[in-house]
Amino acid sequence: EDFTKQVAWTLEAPPPGWMRSILEGGQGLVLLDGVDEVPNQDRAEIYKAVDQLVTQYPHCYYLLSTRPAAVERGWLKPLGFREAEINLLSEVDRDQLIDRWHEAVAHGLRIRGQSDSGLGLLADDLKRALRENPPIARLATNPLLAAMICALYRDGGQRLPESQAELCEALCNMLLHRRERESRLGLEHFPEAYRALTYPQKRAIVAELAVHMVRNEVSALDRTEATIKVGEVLHTIPGREREEASTVLDGLIERSGMLREAQPGVVDFIHNTFK
């Protein structure tokens, strides 16, 4: 909804004068983040708004970011967009992300009149802790997971979980449930079959997928097979139906960040450690 409001000025009224002059002069860099935060039924409106932006200001640069599973490949190709995937973070990249995450938190605290003391040292402590714990550091090669580790380190009394299993459980909780609930995102627009699930229920579903992959010695599942396994778990949950499996699987892929559809029709985990 917020994304739609930010883009909708092109449909309702022109931007402020200074902004319009920049856009008309072809000097604008327009960054639109979080297409996956928009419910499926509203993404056609986002497409129309982006189309109007590009048509009205054709000489500017535009960049949209989203989880790949949220839109089909080539979604914006008719508008002249090219697609690129974000590489894994190097150690240098990871350290820069940690620094900037803590800088952003410090800025937010200052705005609210709270003390930001110690956050710089906290960032240095986390970087050192990751260098001393390679198994956990390997999880921080993904920007989302690196940010989650920053949050866990700060919330957990400046300590990393002692084991990879403990860290994975904490990240599972945050990815599958806590982060979405704490984001203040209006979830009422997303399918009830997915948003009504509790954390233990979501965890049971992805656990079933993981067990099935391990037992069959495969690293990914055909989407049809994955949907069947999700349906089997839903059948055991009061109030849920097998027929909701495809909707729930879509939600886990688009919303959680733990599962992905790396190629059309194939489902796997974002990191084998979670599996």
Side-chain angles (χ1 to χ4, degrees):
E1 183 179 357
D2 289 341
F3 186 103
T4 305
K5 287 178 180 177
Q6 291 173 24
V7 180
W9 55 261
T10 62
L11 307 176
E12 300 168 357
W18 63 269
M19 187 189 301
R20 186 168 61 251
S21 65
I22 291 173
L23 295 172
E24 289 176 347
Q27 298 175 306
L29 171 60
V30 182
L31 307 176
L32 301 174
D33 179 39
V35 174
D36 51 283
E37 302 290 345
V38 180
N40 276 325
Q41 66 268 22
D42 296 330
R43 288 180 191 157
E45 292 302 314
I46 298 300
Y47 186 96
K48 291 178 183 176
V50 173
D51 186 11
Q52 187 167 347
L53 263 175
V54 173
T55 300
Q56 190 167 357
Y57 307 110
H59 302 298
C60 292
Y61 291 91
Y62 299 88
L63 189 150
L64 282 80
S65 65
T66 181
R67 295 178 193 166
V71 296
E72 64 272 17
R73 288 184 180 273
W75 182 56
L76 293 177
K77 188 175 181 180
L79 303 184
F81 282 80
R82 293 177 293 170
E83 292 185 356
E85 294 185 4
I86 297 176
N87 288 331
L88 296 178
L89 298 174
S90 67
E91 184 174 335
V92 173
D93 295 330
R94 183 194 70 208
D95 286 353
Q96 287 182 345
L97 186 148
I98 291 171
D99 286 336
R100 291 174 184 175
W101 188 93
H102 286 82
E103 288 168 6
V105 171
H107 179 67
L109 291 173
R110 289 194 297 271
I111 289 176
R112 295 193 295 272
Q114 300 175 22
S115 172
D116 64 346
S117 62
L119 278 171
L121 293 176
L122 186 64
D124 292 336
D125 288 345
L126 176 55
K127 288 183 288 186
R128 182 166 52 254
L130 289 174
R131 284 193 289 271
E132 294 171 354
N133 197 327
I136 290 179
R138 281 196 290 271
L139 284 175
T141 57
N142 173 285
L144 173 61
L145 297 184
M148 296 296 99
I149 288 172
C150 288
L152 286 173
Y153 191 72
R154 180 169 181 250
D155 291 348
Q158 302 179 27
R159 59 174 288 273
L160 285 174
E162 294 181 0
S163 69
Q164 194 177 61
E166 185 184 349
L167 174 64
C168 282
E169 175 59 33
L171 287 173
C172 281
N173 194 328
M174 188 171 284
L175 288 168
L176 288 173
H177 202 69
R178 177 182 162 191
R179 182 173 62 96
E180 194 165 62
R181 291 305 188 275
E182 294 178 356
S183 68
R184 298 193 298 276
L185 179 69
L187 300 179
E188 64 275 6
H189 300 293
F190 294 93
E192 194 269 345
Y194 171 75
R195 59 182 166 84
L197 293 173
T198 64
Y199 168 64
Q201 291 166 346
K202 293 175 185 175
R203 190 185 189 285
I205 292 170
V206 296
E208 178 63 24
L209 295 176
V211 168
H212 186 70
M213 289 180 186
V214 172
R215 285 178 175 170
N216 290 277
E217 299 182 351
V218 296
S219 60
L221 290 178
D222 176 84
R223 184 185 173 90
T224 300
E225 189 175 9
T227 303
I228 292 172
K229 302 307 294 183
V230 172
E232 291 175 358
V233 180
L234 289 174
H235 185 63
T236 68
I237 299 175
R240 301 270 64 90
E241 304 290 340
R242 290 181 188 269
E243 290 72 22
E244 297 171 333
S246 182
T247 299
V248 170
L249 182 59
D250 283 341
L252 289 169
I253 292 172
E254 292 186 18
R255 307 291 314 142
S256 74
M258 180 175 292
L259 298 179
R260 64 180 181 180
E261 198 167 357
Q263 53 183 297
V266 179
V267 177
D268 65 357
F269 282 79
I270 192 171
H271 200 290
N272 275 335
T273 304
F274 287 118
K275 182 172 66 179

